[in-house]
Amino acid sequence: MTYDDTVMIAAEGLAKSFTLHLQGATHIPVLGRMDFAVRAGECAILDGPSGAGKSTLMRCIYANYLPQEGRVLIRHDGDLTDITHAEPRAILDIRRRSLGYVSQFLRVIPRVGTLDLVMEPLLTLGVAEAEAKERAATLLSRLRIPERMWRLPPGTFSGGEQQRVNIARVMVVHYPALLLDEPTASLDADNRQTVVDLVTEACGRSAAIVGIFHDAAVREALGNRTITVTPYEKAAA
Amino acid sequence: MSTAQGYNFAYLDEQTKRMIRRAILKAVAIPGYQVPFGSREMPLPYGWGTGGIQVTAAILGPDDTLKVIDQGADDTTNAVNIRSFFQKTAGMATTDRTREASIIQTRHRIPETPLVEGQIMVYQVPIPEPLRWLEPREGETRKMHGLAEYGVMQVKLYEDIAHYGHISTAYDYPVRVNGRYVMSPSPIPKFDNPKMDNSPALQLFGAGREKRIYAIPPYTRVESLDFEDHPFQIESWDQACAICGSADSYLDEIVTDDKGGRMFVCSDTDYCGERVAAGHTGEEQAA
Amino acid sequence: MNKLLQVTDLSKNYGSRIGCEGVAFDLYPGEVLGIVGESGSGKTTLLRCLSAQLEPSAGRIAYDMRTQGLTDIWSLSEPERRMLMRTDWGIVHQNARDGLRMEVSAGANVGERLMAVGARHYGNIRTEAEDWLTKVEIDTGRIDDLPATFSGGMQQRLQIARNLVTQPRLVFMDEPTSGLDVSVQARLLDLIRTLVNRLGIACVIVTHDLGVVRLLAHRLMVMRRGRVVEHGLTDQVLDDPQHPYTQLLVSSILPV
């Protein structure tokens, strides 16, 4: 398959199933063979009923899950790179510079303060400390994390606060491709709107976005196309 | 020459002496390197100078003149006994005078009178391995010597400075011989370390219990380890010898009564006596 | 980027017993490799082989020497290998007593590697030691204290400082956090992570603690009975394990 320069994320024949060896090698097919491409500036919303494999697809794109068939291409340093079959260090490089992922849960290092946590991705990209701090602070303020909490590790924060820190940690870097797994799930209306704004701005910067949003209003506000997740059975049929 | 009945010349049998001489030759060939040897049972316990005695026995000839000192003095128990041991078993001449001696066996000091070519110093060594304090494994210390991995010796000096503000090691101060092997100079005061450097005399070291012989050939570079910002320094005293007035010899502090009275005198009794004979006087004499 | 370490077909037998067998991987500068497996899986044997503490029975371990590129470490002369081990490499032992000199001060422990490579200026050595104590969050006021007076976590941090002072490019760690309280573990892990990131040090970490590797390792090797059964990106191996044994390992973690 050939793609033009605007394609940032592409899936080719992507299929995912799980084999549970501890339960008598039970085979659980999840994703059918999926093909799609997401271009710069597009915000594609994954569609499908609960359990259809939307999060699984997201994790396959991020190379957190290993697909059984097919591959995912991510634009990295100008070229579409096969993240599915890349070396671990190449995957990490793609994630560092080209592909951001807001997961449903914040998974952080104990003991590291919130501000440092949000600055960290910038620092690893070589952004100067002062600039990183400013960008992280601006974002935390926009997401209404009170300044007195910035020095604290987010481990003891409420679910909504943790989710906002999670969003800040990803959105602070202007990734050209973004994966958002229900980023607004546990947020109040104001913060939900802030996230919508942030995503809209990312689109405006020509980021390609793949998202899972349950909130109809958010879907309405953000989505400019839909990708229907194909369960395995359907694909097989 | 009259020797004790039934004993070989200088006590040891000739085979043993040859074995020891071979060890000495090897030691001289590799300055500072500890050569293992088959240390024999001697008629006195380990720690009383058995290593030095075996080295002396192996190099002693009937024409030699032997001087034995302990803490700089010729008349201390250990020195007297070793001297009489060789008088009985070898019958050679003995002396108290550094200048007259061809072989000087020592514990704790190097004479103040400069040594000359042809003289041999024999040191009694309790612990020959300078790395032992940090590395108990013999295999590992040998490897460290082999590879000249001597960082840990600096660690010892570092600890001194960290705890006392200066290098407090005062005796058995480690040296590097001929730019290669780090060597324990035996428990001589560091005051004597510079005397080992480039000495015209041959210096032999014998450790009886540890079964090691090592050597510094004449005119060999011997450097005391130190730091650039904490260079090696020898002891100095505010006063001169109370007896001979010497201001540049190693002084012993002697408590003279139970009212806090004390005096400082030369540790090298021969040197002190020579100076007195030459007309030098100290405070004690003058008073 | 050049490979830092290249391991090919590495095996170590103890008589007829297998220590580890057929291990192969490349490690690049700055990469952190985690090796997990249960006791007796061969992970410590593998680490000891990799770090030149144990000669392998077969296979090749090539290291990117600063002057001569990828070189079989067992083709080096012993002095070269020992020099490599105390300058360009670091080894952090599970038990701090194996990695520290307990009879000398914290400062001397840190300074030893510097002195071993020829540092002879006390003031500079001490400044450097203070600097490293600060980096590993030990109060510089403790610089002249013996490690025995330190807590377990401090001893581990001192061990790390002692290793990193020569700015190694590759550090081997054997269960660096086991035996420590959970809160102390977290602090140590964070410290290791920060230092390794900041200094771009490559690391091989052996542990049975999957939490440790999730936090520290870029890549994971799962060992069982001396063999590598699964090898890949850390979060992929932990979140989508393919091998039955890895699935067992991952599912055996007690939930908090």
Side-chain angles (χ1 to χ4, degrees):
Chain A
M1 190 98 76
T2 54
Y3 304 94
D4 63 56
D5 288 352
T6 61
V7 171
M8 305 302 283
I9 302 170
E12 293 179 348
L14 197 66
K16 174 65 189 167
S17 58
F18 294 95
T19 305
L20 305 181
H21 292 282
L22 301 179
Q23 286 153 35
T26 311
H27 187 80
I28 303 176
V30 180
L31 285 182
R33 291 188 189 83
M34 290 195 64
D35 293 279
F36 60 83
V38 183
R39 293 165 191 281
E42 275 185 334
C43 179
I45 292 182
L46 297 186
D47 196 33
S50 185
K54 298 188 293 290
S55 282
T56 299
L57 171 60
M58 200 76 110
R59 285 165 173 250
C60 286
I61 299 173
Y62 198 58
N64 177 232
Y65 282 177
L66 183 70
Q68 267 61 39
E69 287 173 47
R71 59 179 190 164
V72 174
L73 305 175
I74 305 291
R75 190 164 297 281
H76 182 59
D77 284 339
D79 295 319
L80 283 172
T81 307
D82 181 351
I83 194 172
T84 306
H85 301 99
E87 287 283 311
R89 62 193 194 96
I91 298 175
L92 291 174
D93 190 48
I94 293 171
R95 290 179 179 182
R96 200 154 34 231
R97 299 194 282 126
S98 302
L99 182 65
Y101 172 45
V102 178
S103 58
Q104 288 187 49
F105 303 101
L106 177 67
R107 185 171 247 151
V108 290
I109 308 97
R111 222 173 69 96
V112 180
T114 298
L115 186 65
D116 289 332
L117 216 51
V118 176
M119 284 167 64
E120 192 189 23
L122 290 174
L123 296 178
T124 45
L125 287 174
V127 174
E129 181 137 1
E131 192 197 330
K133 190 171 237 162
E134 198 196 309
R135 280 168 66 176
T138 307
L139 202 48
L140 284 170
S141 301
R142 278 188 73 180
L143 286 159
R144 297 176 187 78
I145 303 287
E147 193 167 344
R148 64 187 153 79
M149 295 168 74
W150 292 1
R151 281 180 48 239
L152 306 175
T156 53
F157 291 6
S158 73
E161 285 160 350
Q162 289 199 6
Q163 182 60 343
R164 278 176 278 151
V165 174
N166 202 13
I167 292 164
R169 192 170 146 79
V170 176
M171 301 303 282
V172 75
V173 177
H174 296 162
Y175 293 107
L178 264 177
L179 308 174
L180 308 171
D181 193 349
E182 297 199 46
T184 56
S186 48
L187 302 185
D188 59 30
D190 286 348
N191 284 312
R192 201 179 306 136
Q193 186 53 48
T194 306
V195 174
V196 169
D197 293 345
L198 286 171
V199 176
T200 310
E201 286 163 27
C203 269
R205 283 192 302 268
S206 299
I209 294 167
V210 176
I212 303 173
F213 300 99
H214 282 218
D215 189 287
V218 174
R219 293 161 68 105
E220 191 64 28
L222 289 176
N224 47 25
R225 62 174 284 209
T226 306
I227 296 171
T228 304
V229 175
T230 332
Y232 193 85
E233 305 86 55
K234 218 178 222 175
Chain B
M1 105 192 124
S2 69
T3 57
Q5 197 103 46
Y7 284 102
N8 193 35
F9 178 80
Y11 184 77
L12 290 177
D13 63 277
E14 294 304 314
Q15 289 300 336
T16 298
K17 287 196 233 172
R18 279 190 201 114
M19 175 271 292
I20 294 174
R21 287 177 202 138
R22 280 195 294 272
I24 291 172
L25 286 174
K26 185 169 179 182
V28 170
I30 316 169
Y33 172 73
Q34 299 166 49
V35 182
F37 79 109
S39 180
R40 296 296 190 248
E41 288 293 328
M42 297 302 284
L44 74 169
Y46 286 137
W48 288 66
T50 55
I53 293 170
Q54 290 180 77
V55 169
T56 300
I59 60 172
L60 195 64
D63 303 329
D64 273 311
T65 306
L66 180 68
K67 171 181 163 77
V68 183
I69 50 173
D70 177 1
Q71 300 280 12
D74 298 81
D75 53 1
T76 49
T77 313
N78 196 229
V80 169
N81 282 327
I82 292 172
R83 190 162 53 236
S84 76
F85 171 76
F86 281 116
Q87 269 171 332
K88 276 190 194 155
T89 58
M92 77 298 122
T94 62
T95 182
D96 291 351
R97 309 293 301 273
T98 300
R99 293 174 209 290
E100 291 170 6
S102 57
I103 298 173
I104 303 168
Q105 182 170 334
T106 181
R107 172 172 176 257
H108 290 168
R109 282 306 314 277
I110 298 174
E112 306 291 358
T113 308
L115 302 173
V116 296
E117 279 185 24
Q119 287 185 313
I120 301 176
M121 284 291 298
V122 177
Y123 298 77
Q124 301 168 200
V125 181
I127 299 167
E129 180 49 75
L131 301 168
R132 183 66 69 230
W133 76 284
L134 253 189
E135 182 48 72
R137 293 167 297 179
E138 173 68 16
E140 188 63 16
T141 52
R142 284 200 209 184
K143 194 167 276 178
M144 289 161 85
H145 280 295
L147 305 178
E149 288 180 1
Y150 291 131
V152 290
M153 293 312 297
Q154 298 296 133
V155 171
K156 187 183 167 94
L157 303 181
Y158 170 95
E159 284 292 87
D160 271 4
I161 303 172
H163 291 295
Y164 308 107
H166 60 95
I167 299 176
S168 61
T169 302
Y171 63 92
D172 208 354
Y173 190 106
V175 294
R176 191 153 194 172
V177 180
N178 201 28
R180 178 60 180 84
Y181 285 95
V182 165
M183 186 195 92
S184 157
S186 83
I188 58 170
K190 63 179 173 181
F191 180 88
D192 287 341
N193 272 20
K195 295 177 189 163
M196 292 190 291
D197 182 31
N198 224 28
S199 169
L202 170 64
Q203 305 175 74
L204 303 176
F205 299 76
R209 182 182 45 216
E210 303 291 326
K211 302 176 173 56
R212 294 287 184 278
I213 286 171
Y214 50 100
I216 305 171
Y219 301 111
T220 301
R221 191 154 50 95
V222 178
E223 304 153 278
S224 303
L225 303 182
D226 62 1
F227 285 102
E228 289 159 15
D229 48 345
H230 286 265
F232 173 77
Q233 277 179 327
I234 59 171
E235 299 93 331
S236 58
W237 289 263
D238 296 334
Q239 52 271 83
C241 172
I243 297 170
C244 76
S246 170
D248 52 10
S249 99
Y250 188 83
L251 301 182
D252 282 339
E253 183 180 3
I254 296 174
V255 177
T256 52
D257 52 37
D258 57 3
K259 300 186 193 71
R262 60 194 57 214
M263 60 191 265
F264 287 87
V265 298
C266 286
S267 127
D268 185 340
T269 50
D270 166 58
Y271 175 77
C272 196
E274 234 181 38
R275 279 178 54 88
V276 170
H280 296 281
T281 53
E283 282 171 20
E284 194 72 11
Q285 302 292 63
Chain C
M1 207 192 303
N2 287 329
K3 290 170 191 169
L4 192 63
L5 193 69
Q6 183 185 48
V7 178
T8 356
D9 204 23
L10 186 74
S11 297
K12 173 70 189 175
N13 307 321
Y14 301 101
S16 59
R17 248 170 6 97
I18 294 167
C20 62
E21 196 172 53
V23 178
F25 67 90
D26 296 333
L27 192 71
Y28 286 82
E31 232 183 341
V32 179
L33 170 69
I35 303 176
V36 296
E38 60 198 6
S39 308
S41 59
K43 54 192 197 300
T44 296
T45 292
L46 175 60
L47 188 82
R48 285 174 55 79
C49 283
L50 296 175
S51 56
Q53 298 176 82
L54 197 62
E55 187 161 4
S57 312
R60 182 170 182 269
I61 302 162
Y63 178 72
D64 180 32
M65 302 283 285
R66 285 181 198 256
T67 49
Q68 57 199 81
L70 276 180
T71 312
D72 185 347
I73 58 167
W74 290 101
S75 75
L76 297 172
S77 68
E78 191 173 12
E80 286 174 314
R81 196 162 49 244
R82 285 171 69 111
M83 180 59 97
L84 179 71
M85 288 170 77
R86 60 164 193 255
T87 53
D88 225 15
W89 288 8
I91 299 174
V92 176
H93 296 265
Q94 175 174 8
N95 187 342
R97 283 169 188 277
D98 296 334
L100 292 174
R101 290 199 187 274
M102 300 304 284
E103 59 283 82
V104 301
S105 68
N109 265 289
V110 178
E112 181 181 342
R113 271 182 163 229
L114 296 172
M115 295 184 245
V117 294
R120 291 293 179 266
H121 190 284
Y122 174 83
N124 294 350
I125 293 166
R126 196 160 171 89
T127 308
E128 189 103 342
E130 280 171 346
D131 185 35
W132 274 98
L133 289 182
T134 308
K135 280 183 185 151
V136 299
E137 303 171 17
I138 294 175
D139 176 9
T140 53
R142 304 290 308 266
I143 189 168
D144 294 329
D145 293 349
L146 294 179
T149 67
F150 287 9
S151 67
M154 281 171 80
Q155 289 182 1
Q156 271 326 43
R157 281 181 273 135
L158 181 61
Q159 211 191 157
I160 289 167
R162 174 177 157 85
N163 274 284
L164 297 193
V165 67
T166 50
Q167 299 177 8
R169 291 190 297 161
L170 176 58
V171 174
F172 300 95
M173 298 192 187
D174 187 7
E175 302 273 12
T177 58
S178 66
L180 300 176
D181 291 343
V182 178
S183 60
V184 177
Q185 267 190 22
R187 184 174 181 194
L188 184 66
L189 284 176
D190 176 39
L191 181 84
I192 294 174
R193 201 185 61 94
T194 310
L195 287 175
V196 164
N197 276 348
R198 192 176 300 157
L199 305 169
I201 301 169
C203 234
V204 179
I205 299 178
V206 158
T207 179
H208 62 270
D209 188 335
L210 299 182
V212 169
V213 284
R214 186 181 283 277
L215 212 56
L216 293 180
H218 300 140
R219 247 163 77 196
L220 202 54
M221 278 189 349
V222 182
M223 290 194 72
R224 190 190 189 203
R225 294 182 187 154
R227 292 191 153 272
V228 175
V229 295
E230 191 158 353
H231 183 187
L233 187 69
T234 300
D235 61 273
Q236 198 180 81
V237 172
L238 293 178
D239 293 340
D240 187 15
Q242 307 293 311
H243 191 275
Y245 178 70
T246 316
Q247 292 190 357
L248 175 68
L249 211 58
V250 170
S251 66
S252 303
I253 305 172
L254 295 173
V256 177

